[in-house]
Amino acid sequence: MDHFQLKNGVLHCENVPLPAIAEAVGTPVYVYSAATMQRHARVFQEALAGLDDPLIAYAVKANPNAAVLATLRDEGLGADVVSGGEYRRAIAAGVPPEKIVFSGVGKTANEMRLALGGGLCQFNLESFEEAEMLSAVAAAMGKTAPVAFRVNPDVEAGTHAKISTGAAHNKFGIPILDALAAYASAKSLPGLDVQGVAVHIGSQLTSLAPLESAFRKVGELIAELRKGGHGIRKADLGGGLGIPYDPGVPPPPNPKTYGKMVAKVTRGWNVRLIFEPGRLIVGNAGVLLTEVIRVKPGATDPFVIVDAAMNDLMRPSLYDAWHAIDAVQPRGTRMTANVVGPVCETGDTFATGRDMDGVQAGDLVVFRTAGAYAATMASTYNSRPLTPEVMVSGDKWAIVRERQDVESLIQADKIPNWLA
Ligand code: LLP
């Protein structure tokens, strides 16, 4: 459930009519609902309420805006970070270091130093080579790094190939069959406290079966590791639970069902469980608000050309992702259209042959479910400045990232003196 609803024929975010935001800030603009994020954080917490003190580390990559991080910090969530930049953003937003998990396949020595210096819950290591580097960094700092190995359980997640991470041919984690050897070798490395096992098999998962299969393998590994004398105290079960995008397809399992499955599979593990949800928390809490520039006839269906483009919302172009497209003030008519942006490539297509509200030039429309992996993946392709972000809470709203101006794009480039 989200807080983007029609009231008196006008789409609102909570109590704020979207035309008011478009008027004040211009379009395109991302609009986030704080109440929706809070609700999703609470629903996930409630779904896990039967577990002993779980840590929910929000995957910052989904939406790293400071206002989003602060909202989720206030809900008690930690942060799952994958770069020095995300670590610094989490700290800057006031996330307590002991609630920060550092994931990612290519952590550098500098990033390790940053997180070790500032503190964290644990590093999720993705190779033995990475463990050796962290060991050297920690030993040189006179510190002990809390670590888990991320294992690759070799399960097919059943999601888009570009966001599947738990199959043997993916770059992520240590093959689960090599894990015992990796833990045994890591034991003798100085500066490491090997205390956990981590897994994450992909994103936008619409079935629990692959998750359950991966978690069972982790449970078996923990038992083996304990037999081998390893003091495993934490298990990080990653993120990945999908959310509804298309009302025309059955929704993914809800958090409650997921929570029950987790409780069943992890019974008797005797560890602190960590979760890294991203999309589930913020996905439905955002829309991309855009204006129709013009409607142009097409060979079959007309083209609705909007002022947002693939550089603002890459998901349709990158993953053929489906985002609901709705008029902000529906005229009560329908049309079948291709919805496209102004960027100069055919990939700049949001929807093809879409049955949607009838719209005309000057109408406002939203791309829904644009709170996760949307603004954060934007670029300035075609010299289009980054889109601003607005957060709504009740009847209040605020710009939480200003629109970039073209001048700053121009100023960022430097002309070498031989061309000046
Ligand atoms: N933990 C790790 C280690 C991850 O790699 C990810 C996502 C998450 C947690 C959060 O997963 P979530 O709960 O959000 O599914 N840009 C793509 C999604 C990429 C996901 C990358 N990893 C998209 O727009 O669909």
Side-chain angles (χ1 to χ4, degrees):
M1 197 226 127
D2 63 57
H3 290 268
F4 295 91
Q5 308 290 342
L6 281 173
K7 293 181 189 170
N8 300 323
V10 179
L11 192 62
H12 283 57
C13 176
E14 305 191 22
N15 298 330
V16 178
L18 290 179
I21 293 175
E23 168 100 22
V25 185
T27 54
V29 53
Y30 279 100
V31 182
Y32 305 135
S33 155
T36 307
M37 290 176 197
Q38 288 159 341
R39 179 172 184 280
H40 290 177
R42 287 170 201 173
V43 164
F44 197 66
Q45 282 164 335
E46 279 161 25
L48 302 177
L51 304 173
D52 185 20
D53 190 28
L55 170 61
I56 302 173
Y58 163 67
V60 171
K61 63 172 81 69
N63 188 328
N65 187 284
V68 172
L69 299 184
T71 302
L72 298 176
R73 168 207 68 200
D74 284 353
E75 294 302 312
L77 270 52
D80 167 54
V81 303
V82 292
S83 67
E86 286 192 353
Y87 179 86
R88 287 178 56 185
R89 276 182 188 256
I91 294 287
V95 179
E98 66 275 12
K99 291 186 180 178
I100 299 180
V101 175
F102 205 133
S103 302
V105 71
K107 295 178 228 37
T108 64
N110 273 341
E111 290 174 321
M112 292 170 177
R113 268 190 286 273
L114 175 73
L116 266 179
L120 80 170
C121 169
Q122 75 182 22
F123 289 98
N124 289 347
L125 300 177
E126 302 226 10
S127 61
F128 186 70
E129 292 75 7
E130 191 178 30
E132 288 180 312
M133 180 189 265
L134 180 59
S135 165
V137 168
M141 292 173 77
K143 298 230 175 210
T144 301
V147 306
F149 277 112
R150 174 174 177 178
V151 293
N152 183 323
D154 194 18
V155 298
E156 286 297 339
T159 184
H160 192 284
K162 285 186 184 161
I163 54 175
S164 292
T165 56
H169 60 270
N170 296 138
K171 68 178 174 179
F172 298 98
I174 291 184
I176 197 156
L177 296 176
D178 301 344
L180 286 177
Y183 278 87
S185 307
K187 227 177 176 178
S188 56
L189 291 177
L192 300 186
D193 175 10
V194 186
Q195 48 169 263
V197 180
V199 73
H200 172 84
I201 62 168
S203 195
Q204 186 54 19
L205 306 193
T206 52
S207 153
L208 291 184
L211 287 164
E212 179 163 351
S213 150
F215 299 168
R216 286 199 187 281
K217 290 185 181 195
V218 168
E220 287 160 16
L221 176 64
I222 291 173
E224 287 295 312
L225 287 169
R226 288 207 172 122
K227 271 192 228 153
H230 298 279
I232 301 299
R233 308 189 294 281
K234 292 180 189 153
D236 182 335
L237 301 182
L241 187 56
I243 60 172
Y245 281 90
D246 181 350
V249 301
N254 63 33
K256 206 171 174 179
T257 316
Y258 170 87
K260 278 195 189 138
M261 180 275 284
V262 169
K264 182 183 71 182
V265 175
T266 62
R267 193 163 299 133
W269 283 16
N270 203 13
V271 291
R272 183 176 196 206
L273 291 174
I274 302 173
F275 299 86
E276 304 170 350
R279 190 190 311 265
L280 188 76
I281 307 293
V282 293
N284 283 326
V287 299
L288 174 57
L289 176 59
T290 180
E291 185 177 312
V292 177
I293 300 174
R294 66 181 62 88
V295 181
K296 166 184 163 168
T300 43
D301 300 317
F303 291 100
V304 171
I305 304 170
V306 296
D307 66 1
M310 64 186 287
N311 70 296
D312 303 301
L313 177 64
M314 299 224 346
R315 303 193 68 260
S317 175
L318 209 50
Y319 319 112
D320 294 319
W322 199 101
H323 286 261
I325 304 173
D326 291 316
V328 169
Q329 288 169 277
R331 297 169 176 277
T333 58
R334 304 290 298 172
M335 70 193 291
T336 301
N338 306 312
V339 182
V340 301
V343 160
C344 295
E345 57 179 282
T346 301
D348 185 22
T349 296
F350 291 112
T352 304
R354 178 72 66 91
D355 169 42
M356 59 182 283
D357 291 321
V359 293
Q360 301 174 7
D363 285 3
L364 293 171
V365 301
V366 291
F367 295 99
R368 289 189 186 253
T369 324
Y373 306 113
T376 185
M377 290 174 65
S379 78
T380 59
Y381 186 41
N382 277 212
S383 292
R384 295 169 48 87
L386 293 176
T387 294
E389 294 166 81
V390 161
M391 182 174 277
V392 174
S393 178
D395 44 23
K396 299 191 292 282
W397 66 271
I399 295 174
V400 295
R401 191 178 70 192
E402 295 282 357
R403 187 182 302 283
Q404 192 178 32
D405 63 1
V406 180
E407 197 52 34
S408 70
L409 280 184
I410 296 171
Q411 291 302 327
D413 291 349
K414 298 291 168 233
I415 297 179
N417 53 16
W418 69 86
L419 291 174

